[in-house]
Amino acid sequence: MISVGKILPQRFACQNPSVYLELTEKNEGTMTSHKEWDTYLGEFEDYLKLELSLSDNSLKAYLSDVEKLQQFIELSDWELSPLEIKQDHLEQMLEHVCDLGLSVASQARILAGIKAFYKFLLFQDLISEDPSELLEGPRLDRK
């Protein structure tokens, strides 16, 4: 397994409370990609509701995490569907999230949502390899 700490030495766990996640702009040139993302996000939402019986808050968090990935891909000017994402793209997204100064817990939750999405795509036989499989989140301190 590849640890995020090995990929992004001590940067993944960085914290800067003055920086906020600003992945809200949409890139108009990626309409085909938008439709694909919307389709897979809808199917993922149905899966989370029906198969996993998640609470509304958990459901919203998982979907929000995957939407952050979608927005990052679009802001990076990559016209990629969720099925075309590779481990390198996810590593860059995690580095970006760290640079935004999100807490370690938020970083771990975002990664968990993305991993759940790719496990879903793998379960549905839409991808043959999980690009998130070798990624590990930051270590959370237990109280």
Side-chain angles (χ1 to χ4, degrees):
M1 246 188 204
I2 296 174
S3 167
V4 170
K6 293 178 184 172
I7 297 167
L8 310 168
Q10 297 182 2
R11 293 183 65 199
F12 189 70
C14 68
Q15 295 184 35
N16 180 354
S18 66
V19 182
Y20 297 94
L21 187 60
E22 295 181 4
L23 292 176
T24 57
E25 297 175 12
K26 295 290 183 183
N27 193 348
E28 295 301 321
T30 58
M31 289 308 290
T32 302
S33 183
H34 261 313
K35 290 178 185 174
E36 288 181 75
W37 279 93
D38 290 346
T39 299
Y40 295 122
L41 276 171
E43 292 174 9
F44 182 53
E45 181 177 8
D46 291 342
Y47 168 78
L48 294 174
K49 283 181 191 173
L50 301 173
E51 299 293 326
L52 301 183
S53 302
L54 293 182
S55 72
D56 286 342
N57 287 340
S58 294
L59 179 68
K60 288 176 188 173
Y62 274 81
L63 294 174
S64 173
D65 297 336
V66 179
E67 288 167 354
K68 286 176 179 69
L69 172 62
Q70 176 189 7
Q71 293 166 352
F72 172 76
I73 296 299
E74 290 173 1
L75 291 173
S76 299
D77 287 329
W78 297 323
E79 293 187 23
L80 300 172
S81 81
L83 309 182
E84 298 170 314
I85 302 293
K86 303 292 181 211
Q87 181 178 332
D88 182 56
H89 300 115
L90 297 178
E91 291 168 358
Q92 289 180 51
M93 197 282 196
L94 295 174
E95 183 174 0
H96 179 73
V97 166
C98 175
D99 289 344
L100 291 173
L102 296 178
S103 71
V104 173
S106 292
Q107 294 173 41
R109 198 210 65 239
I110 289 169
L111 180 58
I114 291 169
K115 283 177 152 291
F117 180 63
Y118 279 98
K119 284 181 181 157
F120 160 74
L121 294 176
L122 192 64
F123 177 72
Q124 295 295 315
D125 290 326
L126 296 169
I127 57 174
S128 59
E129 224 172 90
D130 179 355
S132 70
E133 181 178 32
L134 298 178
L135 297 176
E136 290 183 1
R139 300 281 181 226
L140 297 175
D141 293 332
R142 294 190 177 180
K143 293 183 180 186

